[in-house]
Amino acid sequence: QVQVVQSGGGLVQPGGSLRLSCVASGETLRINVMSWYRQAPGKQRDLVAKISSSGSTTYGDSLKGRFTISGDNAMTTVYLQMNNLKPEDTAVYYCNADGWFGTNTKFGRWGQGAQVTVSS
């Protein structure tokens, strides 16, 4: 009953910028938290940023300042603006939606992932 669909990603040169988007949809959907994670080859999946329905944001891995998470008023669409990208940012980026749908049914669901490659 809940779908999480990502768009964006691709190849970018060091110092460049990229914008990812994530859209959650479902019946009577209510979002608690939308998050971005990333996973590099051979590494664990780590938090990049998250935003709550109140607008409060949290950043992981000392990324605040280069990366910015934002959402629309309904909080069903979120973005990750990535600036001054570095090769170490290369990873598959995943969106995660957490909240409720229907009659207060709790859910947590991952997007399909998007490859971000930072290379010259």
Coordinates of all heavy atoms in Angstrom, one line a residue, residues 66-109:
R66 N 27.6 20.5 3.1 CA 27.7 20.1 1.7 C 26.3 19.6 1.2 O 26.0 19.8 0.1 CB 28.8 19.1 1.5 CG 30.2 19.7 1.6 CD 31.2 18.7 1.0 NE 31.2 17.4 1.6 CZ 30.9 16.3 0.9 NH1 30.7 16.3 -0.4 NH2 31.0 15.1 1.5
F67 N 25.7 18.8 2.1 CA 24.4 18.2 1.7 C 23.3 18.9 2.5 O 23.4 19.3 3.6 CB 24.4 16.7 2.1 CG 25.3 15.8 1.3 CD1 26.3 16.4 0.4 CD2 25.2 14.4 1.3 CE1 27.1 15.5 -0.3 CE2 26.0 13.6 0.6 CZ 27.0 14.2 -0.3
T68 N 22.1 19.0 1.8 CA 21.0 19.6 2.4 C 19.7 18.7 2.0 O 19.5 18.4 0.9 CB 20.7 21.0 1.8 OG1 21.9 21.8 2.1 CG2 19.5 21.6 2.5
I69 N 19.0 18.4 3.1 CA 17.8 17.6 2.9 C 16.6 18.6 3.0 O 16.6 19.5 3.9 CB 17.6 16.5 3.9 CG1 16.4 15.6 3.5 CG2 17.6 17.0 5.3 CD1 16.4 14.3 4.3
S70 N 15.6 18.4 2.2 CA 14.4 19.3 2.2 C 13.2 18.5 1.8 O 13.3 17.4 1.2 CB 14.6 20.5 1.4 OG 14.8 20.2 0.0
G71 N 12.0 19.0 2.1 CA 10.8 18.4 1.7 C 9.7 19.4 1.4 O 9.8 20.6 1.7
D72 N 8.7 18.9 0.7 CA 7.6 19.8 0.4 C 6.7 19.8 1.7 O 7.0 19.2 2.7 CB 6.8 19.3 -0.8 CG 6.2 17.9 -0.7 OD1 6.2 17.3 0.4 OD2 5.6 17.4 -1.7
N73 N 5.6 20.6 1.6 CA 4.8 20.8 2.7 C 4.1 19.5 3.2 O 3.9 19.3 4.4 CB 3.7 21.9 2.5 CG 4.3 23.3 2.3 OD1 5.4 23.6 2.9 ND2 3.7 24.1 1.6
A74 N 3.8 18.7 2.3 CA 3.1 17.4 2.6 C 4.1 16.4 3.1 O 3.7 15.3 3.7 CB 2.4 16.9 1.4
M75 N 5.4 16.6 3.0 CA 6.4 15.7 3.4 C 6.4 14.3 2.7 O 7.0 13.4 3.2 CB 6.4 15.5 4.9 CG 7.1 16.6 5.7 SD 8.8 16.6 5.4 CE 9.3 15.0 6.2
T76 N 5.7 14.2 1.6 CA 5.7 13.0 0.8 C 6.8 13.1 -0.3 O 7.0 12.0 -0.9 CB 4.3 12.8 0.2 OG1 3.9 13.9 -0.5 CG2 3.3 12.4 1.2
T77 N 7.3 14.2 -0.5 CA 8.4 14.4 -1.5 C 9.6 15.0 -0.7 O 9.5 16.1 -0.1 CB 8.0 15.2 -2.7 OG1 6.9 14.6 -3.4 CG2 9.2 15.4 -3.6
V78 N 10.8 14.4 -0.8 CA 12.0 14.9 -0.2 C 13.1 15.0 -1.2 O 13.1 14.2 -2.2 CB 12.4 14.2 1.0 CG1 11.4 14.3 2.2 CG2 12.7 12.7 0.7
Y79 N 14.0 15.8 -1.0 CA 15.2 16.0 -1.9 C 16.5 16.0 -1.1 O 16.5 16.2 0.1 CB 15.1 17.4 -2.6 CG 13.8 17.6 -3.3 CD1 12.7 18.3 -2.7 CD2 13.6 17.2 -4.6 CE1 11.5 18.5 -3.3 CE2 12.4 17.4 -5.3 CZ 11.4 18.0 -4.6 OH 10.2 18.3 -5.3
L80 N 17.5 15.6 -1.8 CA 18.8 15.7 -1.2 C 19.7 16.4 -2.2 O 20.0 15.9 -3.3 CB 19.4 14.3 -1.0 CG 20.8 14.3 -0.3 CD1 20.7 14.8 1.1 CD2 21.4 12.9 -0.4
Q81 N 20.1 17.7 -1.8 CA 20.9 18.5 -2.6 C 22.4 18.2 -2.2 O 22.7 18.5 -1.0 CB 20.6 20.0 -2.5 CG 21.5 20.9 -3.3 CD 21.3 20.8 -4.8 OE1 20.2 20.7 -5.2 NE2 22.4 20.7 -5.5
M82 N 23.2 17.8 -3.1 CA 24.6 17.4 -2.8 C 25.5 18.4 -3.6 O 25.5 18.4 -4.8 CB 24.8 16.0 -3.2 CG 23.9 15.0 -2.5 SD 24.3 13.2 -2.9 CE 23.8 13.2 -4.6
N83 N 26.3 19.1 -2.8 CA 27.2 20.1 -3.4 C 28.6 19.7 -3.1 O 28.9 19.0 -2.1 CB 26.9 21.5 -2.9 CG 25.5 22.0 -3.3 OD1 25.0 21.7 -4.4 ND2 24.9 22.7 -2.4
N84 N 29.5 20.3 -3.9 CA 31.0 20.0 -3.7 C 31.2 18.5 -3.5 O 31.9 18.1 -2.5 CB 31.5 20.8 -2.5 CG 33.0 20.8 -2.4 OD1 33.7 20.6 -3.4 ND2 33.5 21.0 -1.2
L85 N 30.7 17.7 -4.4 CA 30.9 16.3 -4.3 C 32.3 15.8 -4.4 O 33.1 16.4 -5.1 CB 30.0 15.6 -5.4 CG 28.5 15.6 -5.1 CD1 27.7 15.3 -6.3 CD2 28.2 14.6 -4.0
K86 N 32.6 14.8 -3.6 CA 33.9 14.2 -3.6 C 33.9 12.8 -4.0 O 32.8 12.1 -3.9 CB 34.5 14.3 -2.1 CG 34.5 15.7 -1.6 CD 34.9 15.8 -0.1 CE 34.8 17.1 0.5 NZ 35.6 18.1 -0.2
P87 N 35.0 12.2 -4.4 CA 35.0 10.8 -4.8 C 34.5 9.9 -3.7 O 33.9 8.8 -4.0 CB 36.5 10.5 -5.2 CG 37.0 11.8 -5.7 CD 36.3 12.9 -4.8
E88 N 34.8 10.2 -2.5 CA 34.3 9.4 -1.4 C 32.8 9.4 -1.2 O 32.3 8.6 -0.4 CB 35.1 9.7 -0.1 CG 35.0 11.2 0.3 CD 36.2 12.0 -0.2 OE1 36.7 11.7 -1.3 OE2 36.7 12.8 0.6
D89 N 32.1 10.3 -1.9 CA 30.7 10.3 -1.8 C 30.1 9.2 -2.8 O 28.9 9.0 -2.7 CB 30.1 11.7 -2.2 CG 30.5 12.8 -1.2 OD1 30.5 12.5 0.0 OD2 30.9 13.9 -1.7
T90 N 30.9 8.6 -3.6 CA 30.4 7.6 -4.5 C 29.7 6.4 -3.7 O 30.4 5.8 -2.8 CB 31.5 7.0 -5.3 OG1 32.1 8.1 -6.2 CG2 31.1 5.9 -6.2
A91 N 28.5 6.2 -4.0 CA 27.7 5.1 -3.3 C 26.4 5.0 -4.0 O 26.0 5.8 -4.9 CB 27.6 5.5 -1.8
V92 N 25.7 4.0 -3.6 CA 24.2 3.9 -3.9 C 23.5 4.6 -2.8 O 23.6 4.3 -1.6 CB 23.8 2.4 -4.0 CG1 22.3 2.4 -4.3 CG2 24.5 1.7 -5.1
Y93 N 22.7 5.5 -3.2 CA 21.9 6.3 -2.2 C 20.5 5.8 -2.2 O 19.8 5.6 -3.2 CB 21.9 7.8 -2.6 CG 23.2 8.5 -2.3 CD1 24.4 8.2 -3.1 CD2 23.3 9.4 -1.3 CE1 25.6 8.8 -2.8 CE2 24.5 10.0 -1.0 CZ 25.7 9.7 -1.7 OH 26.9 10.3 -1.4
Y94 N 20.0 5.6 -1.0 CA 18.7 5.0 -0.7 C 17.8 6.0 0.1 O 18.3 6.6 1.1 CB 18.7 3.7 0.0 CG 19.4 2.6 -0.7 CD1 20.8 2.4 -0.5 CD2 18.7 1.7 -1.5 CE1 21.4 1.3 -1.2 CE2 19.4 0.7 -2.2 CZ 20.7 0.5 -2.0 OH 21.4 -0.5 -2.6
C95 N 16.6 6.1 -0.3 CA 15.6 6.9 0.4 C 14.8 5.9 1.3 O 14.5 4.8 0.9 CB 14.6 7.6 -0.5 SG 13.3 8.5 0.3
N96 N 14.5 6.3 2.5 CA 13.6 5.6 3.4 C 12.5 6.4 3.9 O 12.7 7.5 4.4 CB 14.5 5.0 4.6 CG 13.6 4.2 5.5 OD1 13.0 4.7 6.5 ND2 13.6 2.9 5.3
A97 N 11.3 5.9 3.8 CA 10.1 6.6 4.3 C 9.6 5.8 5.5 O 9.4 4.6 5.5 CB 9.0 6.7 3.2
D98 N 9.3 6.6 6.6 CA 8.8 6.0 7.8 C 7.5 6.8 8.2 O 7.5 8.0 8.2 CB 9.8 6.1 8.9 CG 9.3 5.6 10.3 OD1 9.5 4.4 10.5 OD2 8.8 6.5 11.0
G99 N 6.5 6.1 8.5 CA 5.2 6.7 8.9 C 4.1 5.8 9.1 O 4.3 4.6 9.6
W100 N 2.9 6.2 8.7 CA 1.7 5.4 8.8 C 0.9 5.6 7.6 O 0.9 6.6 6.9 CB 0.9 5.9 10.0 CG 1.6 5.8 11.4 CD1 1.4 4.8 12.3 CD2 2.5 6.8 11.9 NE1 2.2 5.1 13.4 CE2 2.9 6.3 13.2 CE3 3.0 8.0 11.5 CZ2 3.7 7.0 14.0 CZ3 3.8 8.7 12.3 CH2 4.2 8.2 13.5
F101 N 0.1 4.5 7.3 CA -0.8 4.6 6.2 C -2.1 3.9 6.6 O -2.2 3.2 7.6 CB -0.3 3.9 4.9 CG -0.2 2.4 5.0 CD1 -1.2 1.6 4.6 CD2 0.9 1.8 5.5 CE1 -1.1 0.2 4.6 CE2 1.0 0.4 5.6 CZ 0.0 -0.4 5.2
G102 N -3.2 4.2 5.9 CA -4.5 3.6 6.2 C -4.9 4.1 7.6 O -4.8 5.3 7.9
T103 N -5.4 3.2 8.4 CA -5.8 3.5 9.8 C -4.7 3.2 10.7 O -4.7 2.2 11.4 CB -7.1 2.7 10.1 OG1 -8.1 2.9 9.1 CG2 -7.6 3.2 11.5
N104 N -3.7 4.1 10.8 CA -2.6 4.1 11.7 C -1.8 2.8 11.6 O -1.5 2.2 12.6 CB -3.1 4.3 13.1 CG -3.5 5.8 13.3 OD1 -3.1 6.7 12.7 ND2 -4.5 5.9 14.3
T105 N -1.5 2.3 10.4 CA -0.7 1.2 10.2 C 0.8 1.6 10.0 O 1.0 2.4 9.0 CB -1.1 0.3 9.0 OG1 -2.5 -0.1 9.2 CG2 -0.2 -0.9 8.8
K106 N 1.7 1.2 10.9 CA 3.0 1.7 10.8 C 3.8 1.0 9.7 O 3.5 -0.2 9.4 CB 3.8 1.4 12.1 CG 5.2 2.0 12.3 CD 5.1 3.5 12.5 CE 6.5 4.0 12.9 NZ 7.5 3.8 11.8
F107 N 4.6 1.8 9.0 CA 5.4 1.2 7.9 C 6.8 1.9 7.9 O 7.0 2.9 8.4 CB 4.7 1.4 6.6 CG 4.9 2.8 6.0 CD1 6.0 3.1 5.1 CD2 4.1 3.8 6.4 CE1 6.1 4.4 4.6 CE2 4.2 5.1 5.9 CZ 5.3 5.4 5.0
G108 N 7.7 1.2 7.3 CA 9.0 1.7 6.9 C 9.4 1.0 5.6 O 9.4 -0.2 5.5
R109 N 9.8 1.8 4.6 CA 10.0 1.3 3.3 C 11.1 2.0 2.6 O 11.2 3.2 2.6 CB 8.7 1.3 2.4 CG 8.9 0.7 1.1 CD 7.6 0.3 0.5 NE 6.9 -0.8 1.3 CZ 5.8 -1.3 1.0 NH1 5.1 -1.0 0.0 NH2 5.2 -2.2 1.9

